[in-house]
Amino acid sequence: SIRNKIENLLFLTSEFDILCFTETHLDANILDRDLAIAGFSTIFRKDRNCFGGGVMIYVSDSLKAMRRSDLEPPNTECIWIEICNPTFNIFLCCTYRPPNSDSSFGENITCSLDKVSDISNHIIVLGYLNVNFLNMPISHKIHEILLNFSLFNTIHEATRITQNTRKLIDPILVTEDISYFD
């Protein structure tokens, strides 16, 4: 839940222009003003309920971005935004794939990526995908999506480490060399 962590996030605001969150645990009772962070007046949300799920993106006042609801499939926890840049626009998706997801998640993300790839080849997909990228089977639908859309993961080490496991379940996937973000 992000509600009780806003103060903890304040240290991130000087380092980043975009903040993406999954499993926000928000509903319509929580207003954007309750989640406000100085310097980030643009907040995009897709809430599930206060007990689970949900995604949210904060965009710094220094960037121009708009939500692309036309790219968001129904019944899928994802938000697409278009970040306006003088030379090209970047399409960013923040998504959450619950552990009990069926095949519709892969189908819906594929449909979104089909639409986006017709518009731009500057695509970022990130979030909590509940698939371990350190040992993902080649037969997994997410692997097929990576291949079909020429996405590659920019994170190569475990992000979730316990005493018994090392997992990478929250990747940052991009279509081009990360250098275009400099």
Side-chain angles (χ1 to χ4, degrees):
S1 173
I2 198 163
R3 279 181 293 221
N4 305 321
K5 297 179 178 92
I6 297 298
E7 298 228 357
N8 297 338
L9 301 175
L10 295 179
F11 73 94
L12 295 173
T13 61
S14 64
E15 296 184 42
F16 301 100
D17 290 317
I18 300 173
L19 306 172
C20 298
F21 298 96
T22 61
E23 294 192 270
T24 55
H25 296 223
L26 298 174
D27 60 26
N29 294 317
I30 306 297
L31 304 175
D32 284 354
R33 72 173 181 244
D34 299 328
L35 304 167
I37 296 176
F40 290 80
S41 58
T42 304
I43 302 173
F44 301 106
R45 294 169 44 180
K46 192 174 212 177
D47 302 339
R48 187 196 310 167
N49 60 51
C50 64
F51 303 108
V55 291
M56 180 168 63
I57 301 174
Y58 286 88
V59 178
S60 165
D61 295 339
S62 66
L63 295 178
K64 181 180 175 193
M66 64 182 159
R67 185 163 183 176
R68 292 296 304 263
S69 299
D70 58 311
L71 303 172
E72 299 171 13
N75 304 317
T76 301
E77 292 180 72
C78 76
I79 296 175
W80 279 98
I81 64 170
E82 182 175 357
I83 304 157
C84 303
N85 185 317
T87 54
F88 55 84
N89 290 353
I90 300 167
F91 287 78
L92 181 141
C93 176
C94 177
T95 189
Y96 172 61
R97 179 183 169 271
N100 59 351
S101 295
D102 59 19
S103 62
S104 66
F105 178 86
E107 294 164 6
N108 290 340
I109 291 299
T110 297
C111 182
S112 284
L113 285 165
D114 275 335
K115 291 177 185 177
V116 174
S117 62
D118 285 344
I119 303 168
S120 176
N121 62 349
H122 302 288
I123 302 169
I124 305 168
V125 178
L126 54 85
Y128 189 7
L129 296 180
N130 274 307
V131 175
N132 188 356
F133 276 67
L134 297 178
N135 63 2
M136 179 175 33
I138 292 175
S139 61
H140 199 285
K141 179 67 176 177
I142 300 294
H143 189 270
E144 179 184 325
I145 291 169
L146 296 175
L147 292 175
N148 288 345
F149 294 97
S150 300
L151 292 166
F152 68 92
N153 184 17
T154 63
I155 300 175
H156 305 290
E157 296 180 16
T159 56
R160 305 291 170 119
I161 301 170
T162 68
Q163 189 174 13
N164 301 318
T165 63
R166 298 178 55 78
K167 295 180 179 180
L168 169 52
I169 54 180
D170 41 5
I172 299 175
L173 310 171
V174 298
T175 52
E176 293 194 6
D177 184 25
I178 199 73
S179 65
Y180 68 79
F181 297 102
D182 294 337

